[in-house]
Amino acid sequence: MRGRKLSLERKKMLAGYVYIAPWVIGFALFMLYPLVYSLYLGFHEVVGVGNFQLRSVGWENFNKAFVLDTNFVPLFISVIQDAVINTPLIIVFSLIIAIMLNHNIRGRAFFRAAFFLPVLIGSGLAMQQLLYAGVGRDTLVNGIGVPDEVFLYMGPTFSQIVFDMLSRLTVIFWKTGVQILLFLAGLQGIPVSLYESSRCDGATEWEMFWKITLPLMTPIILLNLVYTCVDSFTDINNRMMVYIKDTAFTKIEMGYSSALGWIYFLFIFVLLILVFVSTRRLVVYTGEK
């Protein structure tokens, strides 16, 4: 008796498992033990750095983060506020630029490369070397460069508002390369026949955006939303990441640093679950039955 043939849906499922298998194997071999050990370390205090002796302290490290540490909670709230403000701006800006670049305009390849260039320059070691060398430190970190004399004529209040706005714009310009590419891939996957039939029915560009483009782009919007959140919270210049690293390797409080890291990780994990749950009914998958 012949075996039953696999359905197309099951074949796609198996293909997905094959694609994620290298990551699962790599995670199990190289990341699972350090992750579990960091949680174990969060309930202990390092009393001997040389021989790495541990003393159990229970929930003391976690309580210290919210009760005794006067820097953690304000810094945590500030990082969350920055992510909440920057993420929607990055998503909207990336979608607008992707729609513009998807049209047949002159220099389209140049503009695509220009928007993706910060991803290459800003990746890990390259960005660190540029900042250590002092190349564009004020522009890359503090915002779009403006002469100090201009701020003197604005007054302290208005100059701070302008400075914060320019800093925000710098982050948006610097963090949109991957999102634009993903949006471009999604836009190019929409059948042209949908737009042609809509034009025949008299639909305007504005109506086609709300009725065709935006609904079919919701899976890419969700993907970019998750990516932007993770990228924002784990960025190399994120103040919370810097604080956790300094606590571990400058203050030599590795147990407390592990506790801070797990608090931060659990918050991001819960936030992503809320994103998936809240957007479940809004995402349109064209291949669904």
Side-chain angles (χ1 to χ4, degrees):
M1 183 176 179
R2 292 184 178 180
R4 296 178 58 184
K5 292 185 178 180
L6 294 176
S7 63
L8 180 60
E9 183 178 354
R10 187 168 293 275
K11 288 181 180 179
K12 290 182 178 180
M13 185 185 303
L14 291 176
Y17 288 139
V18 171
Y19 277 117
I20 67 173
W23 182 88
V24 174
I25 295 173
F27 177 83
L29 291 177
F30 303 108
M31 296 182 63
L32 183 59
Y33 175 76
L35 188 65
V36 174
Y37 188 76
S38 68
L39 179 60
Y40 173 79
L41 193 62
F43 294 94
H44 293 76
E45 178 185 2
V46 179
V47 294
V49 179
N51 52 7
F52 211 74
Q53 294 180 354
L54 301 178
R55 180 175 65 87
S56 178
V57 294
W59 293 92
E60 182 179 326
N61 287 328
F62 295 90
N63 293 331
K64 178 181 176 181
F66 296 101
V67 178
L68 300 178
D69 193 342
T70 58
N71 297 320
F72 175 71
V73 174
L75 183 59
F76 192 28
I77 295 175
S78 177
V79 170
I80 294 173
Q81 290 176 343
D82 287 340
V84 169
I85 295 174
N86 291 338
T87 299
L89 294 177
I90 291 173
I91 297 298
V92 173
F93 178 80
S94 301
L95 181 58
I96 293 174
I97 296 299
I99 293 174
M100 295 173 61
L101 294 178
N102 193 46
H103 289 79
N104 189 16
I105 60 176
R106 288 185 178 182
R108 181 170 59 175
F110 168 78
F111 288 112
R112 289 181 179 180
F115 278 105
F116 191 71
L117 187 61
V119 178
L120 301 178
I121 298 177
S123 58
L125 183 61
M127 172 62 77
Q128 285 186 358
Q129 295 302 320
L130 285 174
L131 294 178
Y132 289 156
V135 178
R137 180 178 299 273
D138 292 334
T139 301
L140 295 178
V141 179
N142 297 326
I144 299 173
V146 175
D148 295 335
E149 290 77 9
V150 176
F151 289 110
L152 294 177
Y153 291 100
M154 294 180 181
T157 303
F158 186 69
S159 62
Q160 185 63 40
I161 295 175
V162 174
F163 181 81
D164 292 340
M165 181 182 66
L166 295 178
S167 300
R168 193 80 61 186
L169 288 175
T170 303
V171 173
I172 294 173
F173 289 143
W174 201 257
K175 294 287 186 179
T176 54
V178 174
Q179 292 87 334
I180 291 174
L181 285 182
L182 292 175
F183 278 135
L184 278 173
L187 289 171
Q188 294 173 1
I190 300 177
V192 181
S193 58
L194 293 178
Y195 294 106
E196 293 176 347
S197 59
S198 299
R199 291 190 182 94
C200 292
D201 292 335
T204 63
E205 294 291 334
W206 184 252
E207 291 173 335
M208 287 189 290
F209 171 78
W210 288 103
K211 299 297 183 179
I212 299 176
T213 304
L214 189 61
L216 295 181
M217 289 295 292
T218 49
I220 309 299
I221 293 175
L222 176 60
L223 174 62
N224 273 333
L225 182 60
V226 172
Y227 172 82
T228 305
C229 287
V230 174
D231 182 62
S232 175
F233 284 115
T234 60
D235 185 75
I236 189 173
N237 294 316
N238 185 290
R239 289 169 294 168
M240 180 57 66
M241 298 291 290
V242 174
Y243 183 72
I244 294 174
K245 182 184 69 174
D246 290 342
T247 302
F249 300 107
T250 302
K251 299 180 181 178
I252 317 298
E253 298 180 9
M254 296 183 181
Y256 181 54
S257 176
S258 297
L260 293 179
W262 271 95
I263 294 172
Y264 195 50
F265 165 75
L266 290 176
F267 168 78
I268 299 173
F269 184 74
V270 172
L271 177 63
L272 293 180
I273 291 178
L274 292 177
V275 169
F276 277 107
V277 172
S278 61
T279 59
R280 182 174 54 183
R281 297 181 180 274
L282 301 177
V283 178
V284 178
Y285 294 102
T286 56
E288 289 186 343
K289 295 181 181 179

